[in-house]
Amino acid sequence: MPSFTPVQSVVKALDLLAEINRSGLATVGDLHRRTGLPKPTIVRLLETLIATGYVMRDSRVRGYQVTSGVNRLSAGFHGAPMVIEAARPWATALTRQIKWPCAVCVLDYDAVIVRFSTIPDSPISPFHATLGHRLSLGGRALGRAYLAFCPEEERTIVRSAMLASPDPENSGLGDEELERLIAQARWRGYTERDPAVEPRTSATIAVPIMLGERVLATFGVTFFRSVVATPDDRARIIHPLKKAAASIETQLKALSQSMGVAFQDEK
C-alpha cells in the first residue's frame, strides 16, 4: 500500500499517455470519451506532454500522437525485469502455500543469477539469503533448468562458455551426462540439483519459465532433504511449482502481445 495519496495529476497524465499510445492518433474529443477527463484538463495535460517531448500535435489531421521520446520510458526494461515482475506474486503465493522458499533466476553467461527470492517469506528456509547469487548451469537445479530447456543452438553457445568456465560444476559435466540430464528433465518437466554438490542437506527442484521455445528465466523451490523424503512429499512441491510457472508464462504471453515487448537478454 502507498504511504501517501497518489498525485492525481501524474496519474491522469500517465493514463492519457497510455491512451494516446493505444490509439495511435487521438483528438481531444476522442480522449474525453475514452478517459472521462474534462476537456480543459486534457488540453493542459497534452500541453505538458508536448513540452516534455512525449506527445506531438499533428496539425494535418487535428490529432495527437506519441513521439519517439516514449522510448526513454522503456530504456533498460527488457525481458528479465519483466519476467521478475510477472513472477513475483506467483512465487510469493507459492511460498505461502508450501512454506518452502522460491527463487527466480535469469541467465548470466555460464550461470544463472538469483533475481528474486522468497526466503524472507519462508519460515523454514535452508538459507538466510541467496539474492544475487550465481548458480552453475551444470550442477544447480536452477541452472540446469535453463540448460536443459533452452533451444539447441543456444545450448551450443552456452556449452562453450561452460567448458571454459573455472567452475568444476560446469567444466566437469561430460557430454553423455548432459544428454542424460536433458532427456530426464524434458521427460519429467523439471530439474534437480546434483546431489553430490554442497550443501547436501538441502535440495532444489526447478522448472523453466518459457515464452515459445525460449527460456526467459528459471523458477525453483529449495527444501531440506530430510523433510521432503517421499514421492508424495516431492509431489506436493512439484505440482504447485509447475502450475505457478504455467501461470507466469500465460501472463508473460499476454503482456508480450498487448505491449509488443521484445524480450531481450540483459547486458
Side-chain angles (χ1 to χ4, degrees), residues 6-61:
V7 179
Q8 289 304 309
S9 59
V10 175
V11 173
K12 291 174 183 178
L14 292 173
D15 287 344
L16 194 67
L17 184 61
E19 185 57 46
I20 298 169
N21 185 55
R22 279 192 292 268
S23 302
L25 182 74
T27 66
V28 171
D30 294 332
L31 295 170
H32 171 66
R33 286 190 295 273
R34 294 168 187 165
T35 66
L37 294 173
K39 290 183 178 180
T41 299
I42 291 173
V43 172
R44 289 197 299 272
L45 292 174
L46 285 171
E47 291 298 329
T48 300
L49 291 169
I50 290 171
T52 52
Y54 293 113
V55 169
M56 64 173 289
R57 182 189 296 109
D58 190 329
S59 58
R60 295 170 302 170
V61 292

Side-chain angles (χ1 to χ4, degrees), residues 2-177:
S3 58
F4 51 84
T5 302
V7 179
Q8 289 304 309
S9 59
V10 175
V11 173
K12 291 174 183 178
L14 292 173
D15 287 344
L16 194 67
L17 184 61
E19 185 57 46
I20 298 169
N21 185 55
R22 279 192 292 268
S23 302
L25 182 74
T27 66
V28 171
D30 294 332
L31 295 170
H32 171 66
R33 286 190 295 273
R34 294 168 187 165
T35 66
L37 294 173
K39 290 183 178 180
T41 299
I42 291 173
V43 172
R44 289 197 299 272
L45 292 174
L46 285 171
E47 291 298 329
T48 300
L49 291 169
I50 290 171
T52 52
Y54 293 113
V55 169
M56 64 173 289
R57 182 189 296 109
D58 190 329
S59 58
R60 295 170 302 170
V61 292
R62 300 178 182 275
Y64 297 84
Q65 59 188 25
V66 298
T67 71
S68 61
V70 297
N71 290 326
R72 298 197 299 268
L73 300 175
S74 63
F77 192 75
H78 305 305
M82 183 170 283
V83 172
I84 304 307
E85 186 173 299
R88 185 187 302 268
W90 296 103
T92 301
L94 181 59
T95 292
R96 191 179 302 119
Q97 175 187 350
I98 65 175
K99 308 308 177 187
W100 298 109
C102 306
V104 183
C105 299
V106 297
L107 184 66
D108 186 30
Y109 187 55
D110 62 348
V112 293
I113 187 168
V114 180
R115 291 290 305 273
F116 179 71
S117 169
T118 63
I119 284 177
D121 304 309
S122 172
I124 47 175
S125 174
F127 304 109
H128 294 297
T130 59
L131 199 62
H133 286 201
R134 296 181 82 250
L135 306 172
S136 75
L137 299 177
R140 308 292 162 163
L142 285 151
R144 287 179 163 190
Y146 195 100
L147 185 64
F149 290 92
C150 69
E152 184 175 354
E153 296 82 0
E154 182 180 358
R155 189 182 305 112
T156 299
I157 298 171
V158 171
R159 180 71 169 144
S160 297
M162 290 174 62
L163 293 174
S165 171
D167 188 337
E169 293 180 18
N170 279 338
S171 57
L173 183 67
D175 292 339
E176 291 186 5
E177 185 179 359

Side-chain angles (χ1 to χ4, degrees), residues 129-224:
T130 59
L131 199 62
H133 286 201
R134 296 181 82 250
L135 306 172
S136 75
L137 299 177
R140 308 292 162 163
L142 285 151
R144 287 179 163 190
Y146 195 100
L147 185 64
F149 290 92
C150 69
E152 184 175 354
E153 296 82 0
E154 182 180 358
R155 189 182 305 112
T156 299
I157 298 171
V158 171
R159 180 71 169 144
S160 297
M162 290 174 62
L163 293 174
S165 171
D167 188 337
E169 293 180 18
N170 279 338
S171 57
L173 183 67
D175 292 339
E176 291 186 5
E177 185 179 359
L178 174 59
E179 291 303 317
R180 286 195 298 270
L181 186 157
I182 294 170
Q184 185 180 60
R186 295 200 169 197
W187 179 68
R188 290 176 168 179
Y190 64 88
T191 54
E192 297 183 75
R193 187 199 305 166
D194 183 344
V197 303
E198 298 291 348
R200 300 188 186 187
T201 56
S202 65
T204 301
I205 291 174
V207 297
I209 296 174
M210 304 188 71
L211 186 65
E213 295 184 355
R214 183 173 175 193
V215 179
L216 299 180
T218 58
F219 183 29
V221 175
T222 299
F223 49 87
F224 287 112

